Amino acid sequence: MLTQDGGRVHATTQQRAADHRPYFFLSYAHTPGYGGGTDPDMWVERLFQDLCGHVMAMTDLPAGAPAGFMDREIRSGEGWSERLGEVLATCRVFVPLFSPRYFASEMCGKEWYAFAQRAIHYRARHNQPAEAIVPALWVPVPPSQLPGPAERLQFNHRDFGDRYVSDGLYGLIKLRLFAEEYERAVYELAKRIVNVADTMRIGTGRPVDYRMAPSAFGSPSSGVTGPRPMQVTIAAATRHDLPEGRSVDYYGDNPQDWNPYHPASARPLAYVAEDLVRSLNYQATIASFDEESGPPEGKQPPSRPEILLVDRWALQDEDRRRRLAAFDAENRPWVTMVVPWNREDPESRAAEAELTAKLEQTMPTKMRQGRAYCRAAARGVPSMEAFGQVLPQVVEAAAQQYLRHAAVYPPATGGGHTERTRLMGPMAQTHFIPETHHPATDAEDTDDGQS
């Protein structure tokens, strides 16, 4: 039960009794010292202490329980990566301190990504949104400079005061003239943290390997700050064209409704994939493989990287199997195939050998293409947790291959090439590129690249 008192929603004492996790994780970009002066991060530490004091006053956390966490004391010590992963998997709210330096920091992007996965998996399990990121303005950042994950946050900073919006917490804390505005902003921020922590309750997650985690702000080597395009294409059956013996529980009226991880997941996989792709600072477009196809025509460059999610049961339809085989023969390295399957699904387990053999016969290029993790994704991803772990890797592999092949095949100018749309949704388009070599092997594809 949740109760409401004085405009603040909070959990009952019984709910809180055993929950002593930090209320918030303060994520900030370390500012380098200048001219041998005072430590510039001392002001962030003051903010942290002020927030902790308010959180302790607004909750019934016992003495000694952590109100919040900041990594000031462990960044340079042993085991800091493991410690960060543990706290990001258990804290209740993520508080990023916005500044130009923050969004230029790969480490801050990793922290954001690690926390965001918990909300994505919560939404997958319950099919309900769970936004537990409460941003704070340390230094104001123009909206045009915000990466996709920050730009999409629904948050009204003006609730904390006009001076806070124009100067940020750094400006308020540094100038005594604005002491009252600083106190108001910090108090309102603490109230928001407690409210979100007690209403969202997204639960703990599995620690992300911080050293291997991608940045939510995109790959530093890409040179791109805004969201990049990525298509997610679904090749799946619907409840209307299932083969004999296949349960309708995993399907809907459209291929985009396919939910292979039912009942552990209540959200169709296409939209879980969209959330995961967006958490990597991509602009995702969802399309169905069945929407449009035709004979290959023309030689055109790729228009965007693509993730192809294949339901092995969909290959029981001979027409769809033929079209998938034709697509595989085109050998598009910038399209990475992922084959989700549910090891808890008795029907899929019983037919696994038959379905896998049919997939290998139909799409031999995709089964052998790319690095080890790409080939593992094509062989089968047995759980939602495994899907969340492998998708960032295959997304970056597809992005690297797209950049490579877009450069090799610049757009044609004039002269009789007929553009043919394929695997397209309302905003998506890819084109055929003939290949003269054999399907890519691991040795041929060692430059897929990773973030």
Side-chain angles (χ1 to χ4, degrees):
M1 295 287 294
L2 294 177
T3 61
Q4 189 165 354
D5 181 16
R8 179 168 64 82
V9 179
H10 57 87
T12 64
T13 302
Q14 182 179 5
Q15 282 179 306
R16 283 181 173 173
D19 193 355
H20 296 161
R21 297 174 296 148
Y23 261 76
F24 67 97
F25 181 107
L26 188 65
S27 176
Y28 68 102
H30 292 259
T31 302
Y34 178 76
T38 58
D39 178 5
D41 290 334
M42 65 178 288
W43 301 108
V44 178
E45 186 166 16
R46 177 185 164 185
L47 168 66
F48 174 75
Q49 296 297 337
D50 290 342
L51 283 173
C52 286
H54 285 311
V55 168
M56 291 298 292
M58 295 175 184
T59 66
D60 55 4
L61 282 174
F69 177 89
M70 67 178 291
D71 69 348
R72 185 172 175 81
E73 72 279 8
I74 66 167
R75 174 74 71 167
S76 60
E78 292 295 327
W80 64 267
S81 177
E82 291 78 7
R83 177 65 176 141
L84 284 179
E86 291 171 2
V87 179
L88 286 164
T90 56
C91 64
R92 311 182 204 201
V93 174
F94 183 76
V95 181
L97 285 186
F98 283 14
S99 71
R101 190 179 298 277
Y102 184 84
F103 295 113
S105 168
E106 183 180 10
M107 301 183 81
C108 294
K110 287 172 176 280
E111 292 171 355
W112 187 306
Y113 171 83
F115 183 85
Q117 302 315 294
R118 291 170 56 193
I120 291 172
H121 286 287
Y122 178 93
R123 191 176 188 185
R125 290 191 300 269
H126 304 285
N127 204 21
Q128 295 178 350
E131 185 56 75
I133 297 178
V134 177
L137 298 178
W138 185 243
V139 177
V141 181
S144 61
Q145 295 181 16
L146 294 176
E151 186 181 19
R152 287 190 294 268
L153 288 177
Q154 301 296 316
F155 194 88
N156 186 5
H157 290 284
R158 293 205 173 273
D159 289 346
F160 296 173
D162 292 339
R163 182 66 66 177
Y164 164 81
V165 173
S166 63
D167 291 85
L169 288 166
Y170 179 73
L172 302 186
I173 201 173
K174 287 286 287 183
L175 300 176
R176 294 180 182 177
L177 177 66
F178 301 142
E180 185 175 340
E181 285 87 347
Y182 169 77
E183 293 295 342
R184 174 193 170 186
V186 175
Y187 175 74
E188 294 295 337
L189 178 59
K191 280 206 307 183
R192 186 70 60 88
I193 290 170
V194 172
N195 182 279
V196 170
D198 287 346
T199 55
M200 291 294 101
R201 306 185 71 82
I202 63 175
T204 60
R206 187 166 178 158
V208 172
D209 187 341
Y210 183 81
R211 291 161 297 188
M212 301 298 294
S215 169
F217 311 147
S219 172
S221 61
S222 70
V224 179
T225 56
R228 302 155 290 174
M230 178 70 63
Q231 180 164 314
V232 178
T233 302
I234 314 299
T238 73
R239 59 192 299 266
H240 306 292
D241 61 1
L242 292 176
E244 184 177 355
R246 184 57 174 151
S247 171
V248 299
D249 293 342
Y250 303 92
Y251 300 91
D253 292 329
N254 302 296
Q256 294 91 327
D257 298 326
W258 177 44
N259 183 13
Y261 299 119
H262 167 83
S265 173
R267 185 166 169 78
L269 190 64
Y271 303 105
V272 177
E274 180 184 32
D275 289 342
L276 289 165
V277 168
R278 291 172 69 182
S279 77
L280 296 164
N281 199 29
Y282 285 92
Q283 184 63 48
T285 300
I286 299 176
S288 165
F289 181 80
D290 290 342
E291 283 181 2
E292 193 163 327
S293 62
E297 293 185 70
K299 178 178 179 180
Q300 299 288 337
S303 64
R304 67 189 65 198
E306 183 176 338
I307 305 300
L308 176 63
L309 304 181
V310 176
D311 171 21
R312 290 187 292 203
W313 287 96
L315 273 68
Q316 302 291 69
D317 181 277
E318 288 302 320
D319 178 65
R320 188 184 292 116
R321 182 184 177 187
R322 176 186 56 78
R323 288 185 285 110
L324 282 167
F327 176 78
D328 186 71
E330 295 175 10
N331 187 26
R332 304 179 183 198
W334 57 90
V335 181
T336 304
M337 183 172 74
V338 181
V339 180
W341 74 283
N342 187 350
R343 61 186 167 203
E344 303 300 327
D345 172 9
E347 296 169 358
S348 292
R349 283 203 314 270
E352 183 178 1
E354 174 192 351
L355 295 175
T356 300
K358 186 166 289 189
L359 180 64
E360 290 174 344
Q361 295 166 8
T362 305
M363 308 192 75
T365 299
K366 288 300 171 194
M367 294 293 288
R368 295 198 297 267
Q369 197 169 60
R371 295 187 174 182
Y373 53 78
C374 292
R375 298 195 303 274
R379 288 194 299 269
V381 183
S383 67
M384 177 62 73
E385 181 180 332
F387 183 80
Q389 291 171 350
V390 76
L391 198 67
Q393 296 176 302
V394 299
V395 162
E396 289 305 317
Q400 291 296 325
Q401 284 293 332
Y402 164 72
L403 293 175
R404 173 187 171 193
H405 287 80
V408 170
Y409 298 106
T413 56
H417 290 308
T418 302
E419 185 172 314
R420 186 266 301 172
T421 57
R422 171 97 161 135
L423 298 184
M424 61 180 291
M427 300 174 60
Q429 191 173 40
T430 57
H431 311 284
F432 170 62
I433 295 178
E435 297 281 357
T436 58
H437 57 272
H438 295 292
T441 63
D442 190 40
E444 291 173 322
D445 216 28
T446 54
D447 60 348
D448 281 357
Q450 301 181 67
S451 62

